[in-house]
Amino acid sequence: MSLLVSTKKFLDETGNIAKFTGRFFSMGIRPHYEVKEFLNQCYIIGYKSFPLIALTSFIMGLVLTMQLRPSLVSYGVESQLPVMVGLAIVREIGPVITALIFAGKIGSSIGAELGSMKVTEQIDAMEVSGIKPFKYLVATRVIATTLMLPILTILGDAVSLFGAYLGVNIRSVTSFALFFRQVFQSLAYSDITPAVIKTLFFGFAVGMVGCYKGFNSSKGTQGVGVSANSSVVLASVLIFVIDLLAVQVTEILGLN
């Protein structure tokens, strides 16, 4: 019985998220546009998230280089370290790690913010006053997360590669120009383009899940906490699912 109940709850949740997403496409992208609120959300979601993304990316590039070096030295291919680190960061590790950090910071923030507005009936007050809360609160945040995450990923990859460069120079000496020449010569458009495109879907998933959980938060402060926590969990799972699908699609298209 518990399995049937869990399955029913899962299907209900999936259907509700699908309806919420359909509502975004039917209402959220129509005029009139909340440009000022959208720009404000881009500042909050993008600019204010960059320090955390940069710190995480720098450490990731540095640690990845230090961990890979002993294995490559044992096989006598230490010279390929910049190539391997560059491909790993740009193609897979950079987008996924950045998206997970983004989900933890922004997904929980959106879920908690909209959840608190829901339980304090601010959303109902907006409807009464003639403001369309779905366009003002949901559309602006979802579009902002969709556009900002690819930019943060590109910047995070750059910081991560710089961290990798410093990691290479801990045990040996490599010039800045030589390191990045090796990295960029090993990269092709088929490495960069799919990685950037899938971050659009990562950002959309984070924004949509955060808004959905916040908009459907239960009454009370406990409901706000549940909305924030479930936003992070569900968004993180969706990031891995989307990444798996992206790998399969690129494999079918022959981009791997």
Side-chain angles (χ1 to χ4, degrees):
M1 178 62 71
S2 60
L3 178 61
L4 292 176
V5 173
S6 299
T7 303
K8 183 178 182 301
K9 289 178 64 177
F10 171 77
L11 294 176
D12 288 341
E13 187 80 350
T14 303
N16 290 332
I17 294 175
K19 287 172 60 178
F20 193 82
T21 305
R23 187 181 176 190
F24 166 79
F25 284 110
S26 63
M27 294 179 56
I29 60 177
R30 292 180 181 177
H32 139 90
Y33 301 114
E34 301 288 349
V35 178
K36 185 176 180 180
E37 176 63 13
F38 166 70
L39 295 176
N40 180 54
Q41 290 302 317
C42 286
Y43 171 77
I44 296 172
I45 291 170
Y47 179 79
K48 289 194 172 183
S49 298
F50 178 67
L52 178 61
I53 298 295
L55 177 61
T56 307
S57 299
F58 177 80
I59 296 173
M60 177 182 67
L62 184 63
V63 171
L64 180 63
T65 304
M66 296 172 66
Q67 291 287 341
L68 282 176
R69 177 188 289 277
S71 299
L72 297 182
V73 170
S74 64
Y75 287 102
V77 289
E78 184 182 358
S79 61
Q80 297 300 308
L81 182 58
V83 174
M84 295 190 65
V85 171
L87 286 173
I89 289 173
V90 172
R91 294 188 64 172
E92 188 63 28
I93 298 178
V96 173
I97 296 299
T98 302
L100 291 174
I101 298 299
F102 188 81
K105 183 180 187 300
I106 300 301
S108 61
S109 174
I110 292 176
E113 181 184 12
L114 297 189
S116 63
M117 294 180 70
K118 177 72 174 180
V119 300
T120 56
E121 300 181 348
Q122 293 182 52
I123 294 178
D124 296 333
M126 291 176 67
E127 291 179 346
V128 172
S129 62
I131 300 174
K132 296 180 179 179
F134 196 90
K135 292 182 68 68
Y136 187 83
L137 299 175
V138 175
T140 54
R141 284 162 175 78
V142 172
I143 297 174
T145 56
T146 304
L147 296 179
M148 288 297 104
L149 183 55
I151 297 174
L152 288 172
T153 300
I154 294 171
L155 295 174
D157 287 349
V159 175
S160 186
L161 290 174
F162 180 73
Y165 162 73
L166 296 181
V168 169
N169 280 273
I170 290 177
R171 296 292 182 85
S172 62
V173 178
T174 302
S175 69
F176 186 86
L178 177 61
F179 176 85
F180 281 94
R181 187 183 304 119
Q182 286 183 276
V183 170
F184 290 126
Q185 284 179 349
S186 66
L187 294 174
Y189 285 112
S190 58
D191 298 316
I192 300 172
T193 304
V196 173
I197 291 176
K198 68 184 179 182
T199 57
L200 291 168
F201 293 95
F202 291 164
F204 180 81
V206 171
M208 188 60 66
V209 168
C211 290
Y212 168 78
K213 291 295 185 179
F215 243 61
N216 294 277
S217 178
S218 58
K219 297 294 184 181
T221 55
Q222 183 179 1
V224 177
V226 171
S227 297
N229 181 65
S230 58
S231 296
V232 177
V233 174
L234 182 55
S236 299
V237 171
L238 287 176
I239 286 169
F240 285 113
V241 172
I242 294 170
D243 187 51
L244 175 62
L245 294 176
V247 170
Q248 297 299 319
V249 170
T250 52
E251 183 73 28
I252 293 172
L253 296 177
L255 298 176
N256 284 340

